[in-house]
Amino acid sequence: LACAPHPARRHSCNMSNQREGGIEVVQDDAEIEMWKIRKLVKGLESARGNGTSMISLVIPPKGQINLTNKMLTDEAGTASNIKSRVNRQSVLDAIGSAQTRLKRYNQIPPNGLLIYCGTVLTDEGKEKKLNIDFEPFKPINTSLYMCDNKFHTECLSELLQSDSKYGFVVMDGHGCLFGTLAGNHREVIHKVSVDLPKKHGRGGQSALRFARLRLEKRQNYVRKIAELTTAHFITHDRPNVNGLVMAGSADFKNQLMQSDLFDMRLTPIILMIVDVSYGGENGFSQAIELSADTLGNVKFVKEKKLIGKFFDEIAQDSGKYCFGVKETLMCLEMGAVETLIIWENMEVNRHVLSNATTGETHIVHLTPEQEKDQKNFKDHDTGAELESIESGSMLEWLANEYKSFGCNLEFVTDRSEEGSQFVQGFGGMGGILRYQVNLAEFEVASDVESQGSSSDDEGYI
C-alpha cells in the first residue's frame, strides 16, 4: 500500500505544490515541524539514565565550534575524576559522542545546533545509547550544557509556543495605532495623530459649509488609515498576519471596514471588532485583553472547520472521503487525497517485512497491541517467519513523505467535540479526496485476484 509513488505523479505533485500560495505552504510546513519537535520532546523527556551520563548541549547560531569543542575537552578532564567507574565511563562516552557529532559541522547552522547524547534505560531495564543532533526549525538563542540523569528540553518547549502573528488597528477621533502581537511580544508599528473638527451649531449661513468640510476631513482621515492598513498588513499581494483585530472607541472602525477604500484582501482575516475606552497604546493593551480568547482559539476554530468539512462530505455521501489506515493509505497511493487528516497522538508503526525464502518484501501498519501478536510477523500462506528490516512511526513517515503524494497534511487534536468524534468514530485518520473513489470495487477486485491466483496454484499442483 505504501510503496513509492509513480515518478510521473511525483512530478505533477511538485508542480501543484509550486502553484499553491507560498505563505500557506510555509505555515503548513511550520506546523509539521512543530509536531516533529513535540514528538521529539515527548520522547526525550521520558528518557532516564543511570547517574549523570546524559548530555544536553545547545549552541546558539553565533556560537563557535572550536570553543564548544574546547569546553567538551575540559569537561572530559573533569569527568575523569568521578569515583564511580561505571558512571565515569558513561559520562566520558557521552562526551566523546557529543564531540563526534560536533565534528560533522564546519560551522554552527543558521538556526543553532542541539545535541543530545547519553545512555538511557529502556522499558526492559536494558541500557541503550542515544545520540541525536539537529538544527531546529527556528533560531534558538539559548546556550546550554548540562550533564544530568535526564535530557533538558526547556529550550525546545519554548520553540513550540505559537508564534502566529496578529495585526491590530486601534482607531478613534484623535489618531490611529497599528500594532502586531506574536506570542507574548507586542510591537507598535506606526502611530498617526489627527485633529478633526467637532460638531457645532455656529456659523449662520456657513453652517452647512462647515459641516461639509468636517465630513470631508473625516473622509480623508478614513482614506489615509485605509492606505496605511494596506501598507502595513499586505506584503507581496498577501496578508502578512494570521488575523486582524479592529479596535476603537468611536464608530471610525466600522466606517473603515465598510468603506470602499478598505482592502478586500484583509476582509477575510478580520477576527473580531472590539470597543475600547482609550486610543493609542492604552487602547492597544485593552484590545489585546479583550481579544485574548478569540486569538487563543484561532487554531481551535481552524481544526473544527477542517473536521466539519470532512463530516459534510460523509453526510452528503459524495464519495470524496476515506477513513481508516488501510483505506486512507490506498487512496494516498492513488494520488486521490487532497487533505490528509491525522490525530497527532495516533500510535501506529510502519514495518517493512522481508521473507528470507522468497526475498519478497511487504509493508504492514500495526498498533502496539498488534505488534505483540507474532502472527502479524508471519507469512499467512506458508507460516514462515518474516524479518522486520525497517520500522518506525507511521506518522513520522507521513510527515516526511506527504509532499510526494501531492496532498496537504493536517494534524488534529481530540480536545474539541469534532476532534473527539473523529478519533473515536473514524480511527483518527482520514482524508478529503479530489474525486470520487469507490473503495468497495478495489476490495472486490483484490479478493478476485487472490482467489484466481490460489485456484491456478491448485491446478498446477
Side-chain angles (χ1 to χ4, degrees):
L1 289 176
C3 60
H6 192 276
R9 180 157 62 77
R10 184 189 294 268
H11 179 69
S12 64
C13 295
N14 290 338
M15 292 296 289
S16 65
N17 283 336
Q18 290 173 6
R19 286 193 293 269
E20 292 175 2
I23 291 178
E24 294 177 7
V25 173
V26 169
Q27 288 176 350
D28 289 343
D29 288 346
E31 289 289 332
I32 291 167
E33 289 297 329
M34 288 180 72
W35 174 84
K36 290 179 181 177
I37 294 292
R38 270 197 301 273
K39 191 169 180 64
L40 178 63
V41 168
K42 187 177 178 182
L44 290 175
E45 284 180 344
S46 62
R48 288 292 181 272
N50 284 327
T52 57
S53 60
M54 300 171 73
I55 290 178
S56 307
L57 179 61
V58 180
I59 311 172
K62 294 182 179 180
Q64 296 184 21
I65 296 283
N66 56 345
L67 292 179
T68 306
N69 206 15
K70 182 178 182 301
M71 181 268 294
L72 288 174
T73 304
D74 294 342
E75 287 293 328
T78 305
S80 61
N81 297 323
I82 297 175
K83 292 182 179 179
S84 171
R85 183 185 63 81
V86 176
N87 192 23
R88 179 175 66 245
Q89 192 58 44
S90 298
V91 172
L92 290 174
D93 288 345
I95 293 175
S97 298
Q99 288 179 315
T100 303
R101 294 275 167 169
L102 201 59
K103 287 178 182 177
R104 297 182 177 185
Y105 298 88
N106 294 324
Q107 59 182 15
I108 303 299
N111 290 340
L113 181 63
L114 292 98
I115 298 176
Y116 292 97
C117 295
T119 305
V120 300
L121 294 174
T122 62
D123 295 335
E124 294 81 16
K126 297 180 181 178
E127 291 188 346
K128 177 184 176 183
K129 286 189 177 181
L130 179 65
N131 299 315
I132 300 174
D133 65 287
F134 64 96
E135 177 190 4
F137 67 98
K138 287 194 299 186
I140 191 163
N141 298 317
T142 309
S143 181
L144 174 72
Y145 172 81
M146 290 292 288
C147 194
D148 204 345
N149 66 339
K150 64 178 183 178
F151 289 124
H152 289 260
T153 58
E154 294 83 4
C155 55
L156 285 175
S157 299
E158 291 175 5
L159 291 183
L160 297 177
Q161 294 179 0
S162 176
D163 61 347
S164 297
K165 195 175 181 182
Y166 300 101
F168 284 79
V169 179
V170 184
M171 185 180 185
D172 64 1
H174 299 287
C176 185
L177 178 143
F178 300 91
T180 59
L181 177 70
N184 296 325
H185 177 67
R186 57 178 245 177
E187 180 184 359
V188 176
I189 303 174
H190 190 63
K191 280 199 276 190
V192 176
S193 58
V194 67
D195 185 17
L196 295 174
K198 296 177 173 58
K199 287 183 179 180
H200 59 80
R202 296 182 298 277
Q205 293 179 344
S206 301
L208 290 175
R209 181 168 62 87
F210 288 154
R212 194 166 57 249
L213 289 173
R214 173 179 168 273
L215 288 175
E216 184 179 342
K217 288 186 177 180
R218 288 171 68 93
Q219 181 66 17
N220 289 337
Y221 175 49
V222 171
R223 178 192 298 273
K224 180 68 175 176
I225 299 305
E227 291 174 354
L228 288 172
T229 304
T230 303
H232 289 307
F233 298 122
I234 295 286
T235 305
H236 302 305
D237 295 329
R238 290 179 175 277
N240 56 21
V241 290
N242 295 77
L244 197 59
V245 176
M246 309 296 291
S249 57
D251 196 43
F252 273 116
K253 56 185 179 296
N254 296 316
Q255 290 182 22
L256 176 64
M257 290 176 55
Q258 294 166 6
S259 170
D260 294 336
L261 304 171
F262 189 71
D263 199 312
M264 296 300 293
R265 292 171 293 184
L266 293 173
T267 304
I269 66 167
I270 293 178
L271 299 177
M272 68 182 304
I273 304 168
V274 294
D275 290 309
V276 294
S277 306
Y278 316 97
E281 294 200 28
N282 291 331
F284 185 23
S285 300
Q286 192 177 8
I288 292 173
E289 291 177 10
L290 294 173
S291 60
D293 291 340
T294 302
L295 299 185
N297 290 330
V298 167
K299 188 176 185 301
F300 185 74
V301 171
K302 180 185 174 186
E303 179 180 304
K304 291 185 70 169
K305 285 182 180 178
L306 176 67
I307 301 177
K309 184 180 177 183
F310 176 77
F311 287 162
D312 287 343
E313 295 289 347
I314 296 175
Q316 296 168 10
D317 198 19
S318 63
K320 294 168 65 177
Y321 64 88
C322 61
F323 57 86
V325 175
K326 181 180 177 183
E327 289 78 7
T328 304
L329 289 173
M330 187 184 296
C331 293
L332 197 65
E333 178 59 28
M334 294 164 58
V337 178
E338 182 177 13
T339 304
L340 181 62
I341 308 171
I342 304 180
W343 179 37
E344 64 178 10
N345 293 326
M346 189 176 184
E347 292 186 350
V348 176
N349 292 323
R350 178 179 180 271
H351 295 270
V352 180
L353 302 180
S354 172
N355 190 325
T357 307
T358 61
E360 294 179 351
T361 60
H362 65 279
I363 297 166
V364 295
H365 298 87
L366 306 172
T367 62
E369 290 76 18
Q370 291 173 331
E371 288 178 339
K372 295 176 183 177
D373 189 355
Q374 290 302 314
K375 291 181 181 178
N376 292 315
F377 294 92
K378 292 183 180 179
D379 191 298
H380 295 298
D381 297 329
T382 63
E385 290 282 345
L386 299 177
E387 180 186 359
S388 179
I389 57 176
E390 183 184 338
S391 64
S393 169
M394 182 187 71
L395 269 65
E396 289 184 9
W397 182 82
L398 286 171
N400 293 325
E401 300 292 333
Y402 76 97
K403 286 185 179 180
S404 64
F405 294 103
C407 68
N408 297 321
L409 178 59
E410 297 284 353
F411 288 109
V412 297
T413 67
D414 59 350
R415 290 191 285 272
S416 65
E417 183 180 346
E418 289 82 358
S420 178
Q421 185 179 352
F422 177 73
V423 171
Q424 295 177 10
F426 298 91
M429 183 173 183
I432 300 172
L433 308 183
R434 293 187 172 89
Y435 48 82
Q436 280 189 339
V437 175
N438 190 346
L439 292 169
E441 292 181 0
F442 288 94
E443 290 178 2
V444 169
S446 61
D447 291 342
V448 170
E449 287 177 6
S450 62
Q451 289 174 7
S453 62
S454 62
S455 63
D456 291 343
D457 293 340
E458 289 172 1
Y460 176 75
I461 289 170

